[in-house]
Amino acid sequence: TYLHSEGIMAGELKHGPLALVDEHMPIVMVITKDPVHTKCMNALQQIHARGSQPIVIRTKGDTEVEPFSWRTVDIPPIIDCLQGILTIIPLQLLSFHIAVRKGCDVDCPRNLAKS
């Protein structure tokens, strides 16, 4: 079976999803040194205050996230327009390894329509 996951922008966290956060909810956050870093740090602190220990994908050298994170994954500093490419790689690898550990066939997803 599939695991449900969804992406939420840091600024939208307070509009409901934050109420679902507790020590049992797995959370992966992307916090890079960009113009919204402060908002992301605020969201990380809110999540930490509710008992969650998130995995944070961060810009290498960003020590601000360490006190609020369970684990961190570093990506090199890069211009804003290329950050998405670098941050998606660890997320894809995480998804792959979770699927393999669950015994899912990663080469043949369920209900995939091939044309």
Side-chain angles (χ1 to χ4, degrees):
T1 62
Y2 283 97
L3 282 174
H4 175 77
S5 65
E6 55 187 280
I8 301 169
M9 294 184 297
E12 300 296 319
L13 192 64
K14 291 183 181 179
H15 298 291
L18 193 57
L20 301 173
V21 174
D22 63 14
E23 65 274 4
H24 303 293
M25 176 171 278
I27 296 177
V28 179
M29 295 184 73
V30 176
I31 302 179
T32 55
K33 284 288 192 178
D34 60 11
V36 294
H37 184 266
T38 304
K39 281 187 179 185
C40 292
M41 283 302 300
N42 186 332
L44 176 61
Q45 291 167 359
Q46 295 279 334
I47 288 168
H48 181 74
R50 284 159 176 76
S52 182
Q53 296 181 342
I55 298 170
V56 178
I57 299 169
R58 66 175 180 176
T59 304
K60 186 175 183 174
D62 183 2
T63 57
E64 289 180 69
V65 302
E66 288 176 5
F68 308 103
S69 308
W70 177 61
R71 294 281 191 269
T72 58
V73 177
D74 290 344
I75 59 168
I78 194 163
I79 58 175
D80 289 354
C81 65
L82 297 178
Q83 281 182 356
I85 295 170
L86 285 183
T87 57
I88 198 70
I89 295 169
L91 294 170
Q92 288 287 333
L93 287 170
L94 178 64
S95 298
F96 171 80
H97 288 290
I98 289 172
V100 168
R101 290 191 106 185
K102 286 185 56 118
C104 298
D105 183 358
V106 294
D107 293 322
C108 188
R110 184 179 69 186
N111 298 329
L112 178 66
K114 293 186 178 187
S115 52

